[in-house]
Amino acid sequence: MRLLIPFDIVPVETQVPQSAFGVAPASERAVRYALEIYCDHDDLEIIAVQLTTDTIDLEENMGVAEMRKIADELGANAEISMHSVQDLDSMADLRQEILDVVAEEDIETVVMGYEEDSFADAMFAGSTPEQILEEQKTPVVLVP
């Protein structure tokens, strides 16, 4: 089973060092949900799509390490890899990148976290899942 989980790394403190960043709460909920629901698959693979920036120098695999930590905590066995997205001009570019990864990696399900009444809610609860469903015929699970 191949899952795609778009997620964010956000500051958790007012400091700038690497230790001040962590997985966004909505993204963590999506990761936990995916691992709990799909952990019975012997061949579970998760591809995480992370938006990165040149202005913040985060370790490339920080998101993967956080996801593995959650998997270990839940006793889930999954192969986890990262697809970093950088230098995008718009949210439409990010949506297209997600669609491209879904198509290229033969993703079976997309699990997306979002915060209700937020920008992410407006973006994820509308056009991105609809495009994935319409263009790729891939199920999308939204985790509030």
Side-chain angles (χ1 to χ4, degrees):
M1 166 129 258
R2 299 191 90 188
L3 303 178
L4 180 131
I5 304 177
F7 77 101
D8 296 320
I9 298 285
V10 296
V12 293
E13 299 175 15
T14 56
Q15 307 166 8
V16 178
Q18 178 91 21
S19 62
F21 289 84
V23 175
S27 297
E28 182 176 342
R29 288 192 304 273
V31 170
R32 286 183 181 281
Y33 178 87
L35 289 168
E36 288 170 357
I37 297 301
Y38 298 102
C39 68
D40 291 337
H41 292 270
D42 291 332
D43 58 347
L44 180 60
E45 294 179 49
I46 296 175
I47 298 172
V49 175
Q50 175 186 351
L51 181 61
T52 60
T53 177
D54 284 335
T55 59
I56 302 172
D57 186 24
L58 292 176
E59 181 182 322
E60 172 126 359
N61 291 320
M62 180 182 174
V64 171
E66 289 291 324
M67 293 175 91
R68 284 191 181 123
K69 180 178 157 187
I70 294 168
D72 289 345
E73 177 185 312
L74 296 173
N77 185 23
E79 180 181 323
I80 302 170
S81 62
M82 175 69 64
H83 179 86
S84 294
V85 180
Q86 200 170 33
D87 299 327
L88 297 178
D89 294 327
S90 68
M91 292 309 288
D93 289 346
L94 178 58
R95 282 192 297 274
Q96 186 58 52
E97 186 72 24
I98 290 170
L99 287 168
D100 291 347
V101 173
V102 169
E104 293 166 9
E105 298 291 338
D106 296 323
I107 299 298
E108 295 173 62
T109 301
V110 177
V111 180
M112 304 172 97
Y114 71 98
E115 295 289 341
E116 293 184 39
D117 300 323
S118 70
F119 175 75
D121 181 25
M123 205 253 304
F124 291 145
S127 58
T128 301
E130 287 175 19
Q131 281 184 302
I132 293 169
L133 287 166
E134 289 174 9
E135 295 179 27
Q136 302 299 329
K137 308 295 187 227
T138 301
V140 177
V141 177
L142 295 175
V143 181

